[in-house]
Amino acid sequence: MTTKIPITLTLLAGLTLAGPATAADRDDELRLVVPPWPGVTVKSEIFAQLIEPLGYTTSKQQLSSTVGYNTLQTGDSDAFLAGWMPAQQESYDAAMQAGAIVDLGNNVNGARMGFAVPSYVYEAGITSAEQLADPEVAERFDKTVYSIESGSTVTDMLNKAIEADTYGLGDWKAMSSSTPGMLSEVEAAVDEDRWILFYGWTPHWMVPEYDTRILDDPEGVYGPDNGRSDVKTIVAKSYAEANPNLTRLLDQFVLSADEQSDFIRDYSLEERELEAVAHDWLVSHPERVAEFLEGVETRDGDNALDAVEASL
């Protein structure tokens, strides 16, 4: 797992993170790429509420990650808070090779994704994707893997595994749906103690709610190291160079997996209003807010932390 490191001078054309970001930002609007995933949805709203008292506005672009990397390159988007690696590696590499983006490192640590099962399946002895090749095991799963929306990078990864007959998946079905649609299938299976295989990841409320276990993945279908992932903050290079103050805040906006899982549960499982979830999280974590805002100013050059505390 890659650890969080500061952005470099070469990437930000002289911007230093050692002291306050004294250069005035060019833009007062931040255009965030926000795919329809609960984690990035809440995370983006938290960030939007964090920067509003500083004199910035946010527009949220509901795009897939693949399209988002394209709009970051064309100048139609500014930042993306859900750069999952290696799941999005192809899109990420293309944007990097074009010199169009800056990688600010992880904004959440401890992420992992892969083939997932409820705990009772895991405790029955199914702990590795290699076991899916067993005909009896395959029948227990009805030779079906549930995944998120068609066209997503992770569903493409699953389809490639089926095409390659990895783990004997050649005659399995990939059932793609929205995340809520996939998890409704998981809930129904758990209620009946029925075996189900699905795409799972952490941080997410599915882990505690369904006692989800992620299987070993020695062939690396969902990436090396058993699907352990980075979740990066990706910024259009032109935006980062022109907006050192807000780029500093983007760089320092880092959450733990547990923090993100908690607010995903509040929003997605308990179905609380998005704005309220984000506001309550900021109010409940003053020490984290102070860390995010260290060395950051309002657009008028005032103390950012004072402005945010006054707004809350």
Side-chain angles (χ1 to χ4, degrees):
M1 179 66 64
T2 302
T3 56
K4 186 72 170 65
I5 58 174
I7 48 180
T8 65
L9 296 177
T10 54
L11 286 174
L12 289 181
L15 172 62
T16 176
L17 297 184
T22 55
D25 284 353
R26 179 192 65 192
D27 302 306
D28 59 9
E29 180 187 32
L30 176 69
R31 298 168 299 173
L32 284 175
V33 174
V34 186
W37 311 330
V40 69
T41 297
V42 181
K43 190 159 48 179
S44 297
E45 177 63 21
I46 289 173
F47 198 84
Q49 291 190 22
L50 189 61
I51 69 173
E52 183 176 0
L54 309 186
Y56 300 90
T57 60
T58 307
S59 62
K60 300 171 189 171
Q61 302 171 328
Q62 296 184 353
L63 307 170
S64 71
S65 60
T66 303
V67 174
Y69 280 100
N70 289 335
T71 56
L72 287 168
Q73 292 184 73
T74 60
D76 295 309
S77 301
D78 301 320
F80 177 39
L81 300 179
W84 280 74
M85 302 298 153
Q88 300 165 8
Q89 200 70 52
E90 185 175 347
S91 297
Y92 170 91
D93 287 346
M96 268 294 186
Q97 289 168 9
I101 60 172
V102 173
D103 177 353
L104 300 187
N106 283 353
N107 63 60
V108 59
N109 294 305
R112 187 183 175 199
M113 63 182 187
F115 295 101
V117 297
S119 63
Y120 53 82
V121 177
Y122 195 91
E123 290 163 1
I126 307 304
T127 60
S128 172
E130 291 178 305
Q131 295 168 275
L132 302 177
D134 183 323
E136 293 184 4
V137 171
E139 288 302 322
R140 290 292 301 272
F141 287 119
D142 196 26
K143 293 187 176 181
T144 301
V145 188
Y146 293 87
S147 190
I148 59 173
E149 57 269 0
S150 179
S152 65
T153 306
V154 292
T155 296
D156 288 345
M157 295 165 91
L158 172 61
N159 288 331
K160 288 178 182 178
I162 291 173
E163 292 169 7
D165 195 30
T166 307
Y167 304 133
L169 294 174
D171 59 349
W172 286 51
K173 301 184 296 290
M175 298 294 289
S176 301
S177 180
S178 64
T179 298
M182 181 189 74
L183 292 177
S184 70
E185 296 286 348
V186 176
E187 182 176 11
V190 169
D191 286 345
E192 300 169 4
D193 288 329
R194 177 163 41 87
W195 282 29
I196 186 169
L197 182 69
F198 59 100
Y199 167 65
W201 68 93
T202 182
H204 196 274
W205 60 259
M206 73 176 77
V207 176
E209 182 68 11
Y210 304 126
D211 203 1
T212 299
R213 308 294 181 89
I214 297 177
L215 304 183
D216 289 341
D217 180 14
E219 295 296 324
V221 168
Y222 289 104
D225 196 18
N226 282 316
R228 286 177 173 81
S229 303
D230 293 321
V231 184
K232 295 175 174 289
T233 298
I234 310 296
V235 183
K237 186 175 182 181
S238 59
Y239 182 91
E241 292 174 341
N243 299 280
N245 186 57
L246 206 57
T247 298
R248 179 184 182 115
L249 178 52
L250 282 162
D251 184 61
Q252 294 175 172
F253 184 65
V254 182
L255 300 155
S256 71
D258 287 344
E259 286 172 333
Q260 182 157 322
S261 292
D262 285 344
F263 62 62
I264 290 173
R265 177 189 283 110
D266 288 345
Y267 171 64
S268 193
L269 183 60
E270 298 182 4
E271 298 183 340
R272 295 184 58 217
E273 291 293 329
L274 175 62
E275 293 80 5
V277 171
H279 177 267
D280 290 353
W281 192 92
L282 288 168
V283 169
S284 301
H285 295 82
E287 75 291 344
R288 306 291 287 116
V289 171
E291 291 171 6
F292 299 157
L293 295 171
E294 184 178 355
V296 177
E297 299 175 343
T298 69
R299 279 185 58 78
D300 294 333
D302 295 328
N303 183 280
L305 182 58
D306 289 347
V308 171
E309 288 178 340
S311 74
L312 297 175

